[in-house]
Amino acid sequence: MSGPTSIRDEAQRGQGGVPRVLGPKVKAGISLLIVAHFAAMLLMVGTTEGGRYTAPPLLQKAAEPVMPYVRFLGVNSGYRFFAPDPGPASLIWARVERAQGGAVWVEYPSRERQTWTLAYQRELYPAMLLGAQVAPGDMVMAPGRPRVSEVGLTYAMAFARRLARLHGTAANPVTRVELYSVSHAIRMPQQVRSGWDAEDLRLYFPASVGTYSAEGVPLGAAASIGHDRRGILELAERMLRDVGASGAPLQQQSPDMPGTLRRLLREYPELTAAGDGRPLQERIGSAVMSRDVNP
């Protein structure tokens, strides 16, 4: 038989007589999979707690069956870092020691190093992943239990190996890496009125994630990881002492240096000098507070 009908039938069947058009059952199955995928994402939005939002227990129970699926695809974000209730940003600060002496401080992610948005996003994810695996500073932990999860410890070991490759050479290899997960808080209205800028040192809250060898092996007991809660002034003092020990001008310092420290040194270069007899932490605090204004 010839004619339009037979030509259309042949086009639909294709080679070997197999129909090219999907049947209604296949279409229905694909549609159900698409609906299930977006339903799983909506469950993640509804069950991710943050800020003032507490997830309903019934919704959390409903999300349990799809957790392996969304974790495998990496779509388990609750997107609660957007307005109107955004949370703090996560950073990684690291102190990298080399065999021939000297230490450099690096920050991930860094706008100084990565000006392209995509490259910056790639550096942002390790900081977010590691920050999510570190217990908050006000959380009470059982004796002998680390403040970093096993997943977080795996992240930290891998990141230490990466830093050792990036910042070491054959002639001067990296011997030791200290990692800190840093929470960068958002300014409150009163802080804005007082003159705080977005990189004010008082908005950073570091938490130690351990010390590692160049091979990523933890240097110390696993149970002690995360319990070293250094204050930001103490950490800033260590950074400034390392900068002063290098003897290099600020312009020649590593572009990976934490942005808040770089800005502090630009405004107060005298912090690396001998000083006026006061402790360095006190001088740092005075320099930071000198920006404050009375609203």
Side-chain angles (χ1 to χ4, degrees), residues 1-10:
M1 179 179 179
S2 60
T5 303
S6 61
I7 294 175
R8 184 172 60 251
D9 291 342
E10 289 297 327

Side-chain angles (χ1 to χ4, degrees), residues 97-239:
E97 295 184 16
R98 299 189 178 99
Q100 296 183 8
V104 295
W105 286 84
V106 298
E107 178 182 59
Y108 285 82
S110 171
R111 287 292 187 188
E112 294 282 344
R113 180 179 56 254
Q114 301 292 0
T115 56
W116 289 9
T117 302
L118 182 58
Y120 182 83
Q121 286 294 117
R122 288 175 177 171
E123 290 191 354
L124 176 64
Y125 288 125
M128 293 175 58
L129 292 172
L130 185 58
Q133 303 300 323
V134 180
D138 56 354
M139 180 180 291
V140 179
M141 304 294 294
R145 184 174 180 180
R147 303 189 69 90
V148 182
S149 68
E150 293 184 4
V151 175
L153 183 59
T154 303
Y155 288 156
M157 293 166 64
F159 201 76
R161 290 194 295 269
R162 182 172 185 268
L163 290 178
R165 291 194 301 268
L166 290 176
H167 298 277
T169 62
N172 192 14
V174 170
T175 58
R176 180 186 176 100
V177 177
E178 295 180 33
L179 290 179
Y180 295 87
S181 176
V182 182
S183 177
H184 184 192
I186 297 175
R187 293 175 294 173
M188 295 293 103
Q190 178 60 36
Q191 295 169 342
V192 175
R193 288 193 293 268
S194 297
W196 293 29
D197 58 56
E199 291 186 337
D200 193 288
L201 197 65
R202 291 166 289 185
L203 297 174
Y204 293 82
F205 300 91
S208 172
V209 195
T211 304
Y212 303 86
S213 67
E215 294 76 26
V217 179
L219 302 178
S224 64
I225 293 178
H227 288 278
D228 182 10
R229 314 296 289 188
R230 295 177 184 267
I232 186 60
L233 286 179
E234 183 179 357
L235 211 58
E237 179 184 12
R238 292 191 68 200
M239 293 183 192

